[in-house]
Amino acid sequence: MERFYLAFKGYDVHELACHFVARHAGLYGRHGLQPRLIDSTFLADEALPPNTFQAACGAALAAWLKGADVRVVFVAAERPMFWLYSTPGQGLDDLRDQPIAGFPDHAPPAAFLRAAWARHGGAPAALNVLPARDDVGRLGLLRDGSAAAALLSSAVSPDTMQALGYEPRLFLGDEFQLATTGLAATVAQCEGEPGLVRRVCACYREAIDIIHRDDSTLQAVLAEVITAAGSGAGSLAVALRRCYTRDGTSAPATLAGGAELMARALGLAVRPVDELYVFRFLS
């Protein structure tokens, strides 16, 4: 068994559904793999151990736009699974200038929210974000009344939020497409450990097939990993299948458009993405 590390930014199905399914279905063992998870939220890339793959491909894109030596070798989600919730009866116009519990400014979901906000006619100055470290903090700010809305990840299901009395104002997956999660690796990994990269990609390709075709396994996996109050596996399964690719790749136009969106949101120069997205390990 060969050990590798999987670094995540958010412990949720958006980032980790392939991992959860591979673990549940015994795919890792069949591919001779032994995974270990790492929370990389507060770790610099250079501090990660060797043989580390990153699940947050939106973060990998942002790092690459800033000059990082990284490659995305597998695309799991090509739509961002984040919901903006508020109390019933409110529209986006009602949230202008109101405090919104969100992500830190440098995090990709913050860029996604800014882009969606602008799409709906919102001026940047009217977006008042209260950054919080995680969904627990963001939901807490909303329930406390300190925020009028909250941007939450798939760690909290839409069913759970409905049971708590909140409604989605925006689903960011409806707004645009870009490679948000999957597997990112360094150039050194791709060149020095191609067999490992190929095996992890093959394992995740099997997992993504299970996500789309095996409802009982997917429901069992979601029931295992949803930790918020209430159920919610049903609504997350629908969103997951809608946002996840079928084969670990994404169309060139989607990849290029996502890079342009991210670069614009971060104030960075746009670069051709042929160098970043490398799918040869899937063959």
Side-chain angles (χ1 to χ4, degrees):
M1 298 291 249
E2 186 168 6
R3 176 174 292 183
F4 74 94
Y5 297 89
L6 181 63
F8 65 89
K9 302 291 186 186
Y11 189 85
D12 55 42
V13 296
H14 177 220
E15 281 199 28
L16 296 175
C18 286
H19 166 74
F20 294 144
V21 169
R23 184 186 63 192
H24 180 92
L27 302 182
Y28 283 131
R30 293 211 294 273
H31 286 270
L33 298 168
Q34 187 179 46
R36 291 291 183 269
L37 290 179
I38 300 175
D39 185 344
S40 62
T41 305
F42 304 110
L43 285 176
D45 289 351
E46 54 269 22
L48 295 171
N51 287 347
T52 295
F53 295 84
Q54 298 198 52
C57 292
L61 169 59
W64 178 78
L65 288 168
K66 297 173 184 176
D69 207 12
V70 65
R71 299 290 182 265
V72 174
V73 297
F74 185 95
V75 176
E78 58 181 1
R79 291 181 180 273
M81 291 179 65
F82 299 90
W83 292 259
L84 181 67
Y85 294 99
S86 66
T87 54
Q90 288 184 311
L92 286 178
D93 285 341
D94 299 312
L95 298 178
R96 302 193 194 285
D97 297 315
Q98 295 297 311
I100 296 174
F103 287 70
D105 191 60
H106 66 276
F112 302 157
L113 179 60
R114 289 195 297 271
W117 186 263
R119 249 186 202 205
H120 288 269
L127 184 57
N128 179 12
V129 174
L130 300 177
R133 61 182 182 177
D134 56 22
D135 280 338
V136 174
R138 287 183 281 274
L139 180 55
L141 290 170
L142 177 61
R143 299 189 73 182
D144 178 70
S146 298
L151 184 68
L152 300 183
S153 77
S154 57
V156 182
S157 76
D159 289 349
T160 296
M161 291 302 293
Q162 184 178 18
L164 292 173
Y166 299 103
E167 294 179 350
R169 301 274 75 82
L170 281 175
F171 175 51
L172 296 189
D174 288 335
E175 301 299 316
F176 33 70
Q177 287 180 274
L178 74 162
T180 53
T181 70
L183 291 169
T186 64
V187 171
Q189 281 176 272
C190 293
E191 294 178 351
E193 296 286 347
L196 175 62
V197 176
R198 190 168 287 110
R199 290 212 313 281
V200 178
C201 285
C203 179
Y204 277 31
R205 196 165 184 172
E206 285 190 43
I208 221 167
D209 187 63
I210 289 173
I211 287 168
H212 284 290
R213 297 178 185 275
D214 188 340
D215 191 64
S216 63
T217 297
L218 179 59
Q219 294 291 341
V221 167
L222 292 176
E224 280 181 9
V225 301
I226 294 173
T227 57
S231 57
S235 60
L236 277 181
V238 172
L240 194 64
R241 285 174 172 146
R242 183 180 170 205
C243 296
Y244 260 47
T245 69
R246 292 276 178 172
D247 62 0
T249 69
S250 191
T254 297
L255 299 174
E260 182 179 351
L261 182 150
M262 183 71 79
R264 189 168 57 247
L266 296 176
L268 299 170
V270 180
R271 300 171 58 189
V273 296
D274 294 351
E275 177 186 278
L276 173 62
Y277 297 102
V278 178
F279 298 130
R280 67 177 181 270
F281 298 101
L282 288 166
S283 60

